Amino acid sequence: MLLSSAAYAQGPKASFSRAEVAVGQPLDYELRYEHAASEEVIFPDSLARFAPFEYVGRTWLPTRTRNGRSLDRTVYHLRTFSLAPVQALQLPVLVLRGATDTLRLLPPTAQVQLRRTAPALSSTAGGPPPLRQDLGQLPLEPAFNYPFWVAGLAGLLLLAAGVAALFGRRWRRRYQLYKRRKNHVYFLAQFARHAERFTLSRSAPVAERVVVLWKNYLSSLEDTNLSSLTTKELVEHFDNNDDVRRALRATDRVVYGNLLSEDAQEIDAAFQRLRNFAEQQYELVSAG
């Protein structure tokens, strides 16, 4: 059953944290109650009626007990959007007395005045003040249009992907041809330089460098490893090509047999055969 609060001479007390409040401004409502330490007290929760205020949150303060008396305090965080000039709130405190008895105690009503930020209209004006026309433009700071630039970047990426899909293979082939042509020109220059050195020095190591240069170039041209192959294996690799067989045998006699008395014309012919074969292989790979 509910008992009247008249039985308690000193009931709960409540107050606002300020005397005035603006619309939407945070406001604290403190509810406190001093009672016997043996009493069980319940303060309102978020489901209580806070009108005309809006509930934002609450802060429970620890119970303080001294000489058999306990003090409970709770601070409710509120805000109001009501335009009433004076706004009031009265939250009850429940005291449990046994299994069936509940005492509902009400504190004095706490009031707060609404502070207006707009000037009050004169009662003799007869209506709202006239509007003043102002056609002047206010400067605005330029804002970065992220959606526009993101859409533009996505469009450029899609365009680039489409161009790459249509022309990428052709461009890669043209680049490979350019790179292969450049390597071929470099090989011919290096080959001619080494052949000329052999003619002047008649040195077996120089002849060996000519053959190594030829092997390395064909390895890069065909993407194979020919540097470790012997003369017999090279001839078999190139399908027993007569020019390759004759040229390598002539250079082997100089490199491994130290037969520097070989006819200069024969060695020059061997170098020419190696050069001609390299050019043929270059044409075949480029055409394929």
Side-chain angles (χ1 to χ4, degrees), residues 174-286:
R174 293 185 63 179
Y175 174 75
Q176 291 175 356
L177 291 176
Y178 165 78
K179 186 177 180 180
R180 188 180 299 119
R181 187 183 306 111
K182 186 176 180 180
N183 292 338
H184 183 68
V185 172
Y186 178 79
F187 161 73
L188 293 179
Q190 291 295 104
F191 191 89
R193 185 177 298 112
H194 283 76
E196 183 179 0
R197 288 179 181 176
F198 178 79
T199 302
L200 297 176
S201 64
R202 305 291 292 175
S203 171
V206 175
E208 184 178 9
R209 282 197 291 271
V210 173
V211 177
V212 171
L213 176 66
W214 180 81
K215 288 182 180 180
N216 291 337
Y217 171 71
L218 291 181
S219 296
S220 63
L221 185 65
E222 300 181 357
D223 195 18
T224 57
N225 184 15
L226 304 178
S227 58
S228 61
L229 298 183
T230 63
T231 297
K232 181 179 179 181
E233 291 172 341
L234 280 172
V235 172
E236 293 178 354
H237 177 78
F238 293 119
D239 299 327
N240 296 316
N241 185 275
D242 185 64
D243 288 338
V244 174
R245 178 177 54 81
R246 294 173 60 184
L248 292 181
R249 286 182 178 179
T251 56
D252 283 349
R253 286 196 297 269
V254 174
V255 174
Y256 302 107
N258 292 324
L259 299 178
L260 298 181
S261 59
E262 288 284 335
D263 187 2
Q265 293 183 354
E266 183 178 355
I267 300 301
D268 292 341
F271 288 163
Q272 186 63 37
R273 290 189 181 96
L274 294 178
R275 175 191 173 101
N276 292 341
F277 183 78
E279 290 185 339
Q280 293 173 8
Q281 294 299 107
Y282 167 77
E283 296 295 338
L284 289 176
V285 173
S286 299

Side-chain angles (χ1 to χ4, degrees), residues 6 17 20 51 60-61 83 91 98 109 142 154 193 270:
S17 59
E20 291 184 342
W60 295 101
L61 300 177
L83 299 181
L91 294 181
T109 302
R193 185 177 298 112

Side-chain angles (χ1 to χ4, degrees), residues 110-210:
Q111 295 183 344
V112 63
Q113 291 185 353
L114 182 68
R115 184 174 71 250
R116 296 182 179 273
T117 57
L121 297 177
S122 175
S123 59
T124 61
L131 298 178
R132 184 175 59 184
Q133 185 177 9
D134 186 2
L135 300 180
Q137 297 182 356
L138 297 178
L140 296 177
E141 295 184 1
F144 188 80
N145 194 338
Y146 288 98
F148 175 80
W149 285 100
V150 169
L153 181 59
L156 288 178
L157 292 177
L158 290 176
L159 179 62
V163 172
L166 292 176
F167 304 102
R169 184 176 181 182
R170 182 185 304 175
W171 288 345
R172 286 193 298 270
R173 175 171 174 79
R174 293 185 63 179
Y175 174 75
Q176 291 175 356
L177 291 176
Y178 165 78
K179 186 177 180 180
R180 188 180 299 119
R181 187 183 306 111
K182 186 176 180 180
N183 292 338
H184 183 68
V185 172
Y186 178 79
F187 161 73
L188 293 179
Q190 291 295 104
F191 191 89
R193 185 177 298 112
H194 283 76
E196 183 179 0
R197 288 179 181 176
F198 178 79
T199 302
L200 297 176
S201 64
R202 305 291 292 175
S203 171
V206 175
E208 184 178 9
R209 282 197 291 271
V210 173

Side-chain angles (χ1 to χ4, degrees), residues 5-21:
S5 61
Y8 278 62
Q10 294 184 352
K13 299 179 180 180
S15 62
F16 285 107
S17 59
R18 60 170 64 94
E20 291 184 342
V21 65

